[in-house]
Amino acid sequence: MSFLEDVVSGLSLPQKALPPKYFYDAQGSRIFERICRLPEYYLTRAEMALTRGHIGAIAAFAGSGCELIEYGSGEGLKTRLLLRALRPRLYVPVDISQAALERAAQRLAREFPGLRIAPVNGDFSRPLRILSGARRQRVVYFPGSTIGNLTPQEAHAFLAMSRAQAARMLVGVDLKKDANVLHAAYNDARGVTAAFNLNLLARINRELGGDFQLKRFSHYAFYNAPLGRIEMHLVSLADQEARVAGHRFQLRRGESIHTENSYKYAADEFRALAARAGFTGKKLWMDRRGLFALHGLT
Ligand code: SAH
Ligand code: AVI
């Protein structure tokens, strides 16, 4: 489905919704990079520290000289640590954001002369066609808890696809924790997460000729404890109509557009999800505060 088709079908649902993969145009990727540096957004720092602290064991698990495929590679902050320790024979960053992918690939090429980089601009929910070489040498790396942005069914399909491609997988997963900590991480004081959320409507205006008035929407994020996920919404501040490429959408005051889920998994919950896709949880690295987990699956 195209961006327009996804927007039209999502805004036609009883609970309006937009797929989170569309957050990441050039502007959205830049805003996400600012989120990663916010004091409230503990995820990036926790995963960086975890990776740095266990890099020897992580590299031993992945195996030096492997082919490293990274999904949702973005800026590639943690990737540097891995590349330095692993020295893979090939690095395949996959990202839907062309701008982020190109920037990161250029920077990595400068920092790691001699590293073979084969960037793929595409959607990771579809199988990759470019792979050569043996499955047993490949490692799929999926950091950042991006797996939390998939529904459990989508996560299952993604894990099963990865298992068909690679013998080992390293997945960064945000852990369940105090709802106040989660709430702060998705409602930062500077409003960067709000800008990230609103950029989705700005992108629809830019690329699809939409007429959303951004001032008439507000960012809303909360922890849905029964479902174990942060939900992000854009709430309409008035009764209003928005048009996108000739389609009209009515929004009542207080009605929301659901823009993202961010599932949080306890270590055993994630292992069970991975097991249903045929993976065995071989390694688990967690920080002492129980913020974040890195799973080594075979
Ligand atoms: N791995 C980085 C970035 C995480 S942000 C980190 O840990 O900080 C999520 C990344 O996944 C973004 O770069 C976004 O562009 C990419 N992404 C989101 N949905 C995607 C999809 N369906 N296919 C490919 N890339 C996707
Ligand atoms: C990329 N992903 C794991 C982020 C998350 O935490 O779910 C996206 C994000 N949304 C709001 N802040 C960050």
Side-chain angles (χ1 to χ4, degrees), residues 21 24 32 70 72-74 78 95-97 122-124 143-144 146:
K21 66 182 177 185
Y24 303 94
F32 181 74
E70 179 174 7
S73 46
K78 301 135 219 167
D95 207 290
I96 203 160
S97 169
D123 186 337
F124 58 52
T146 304

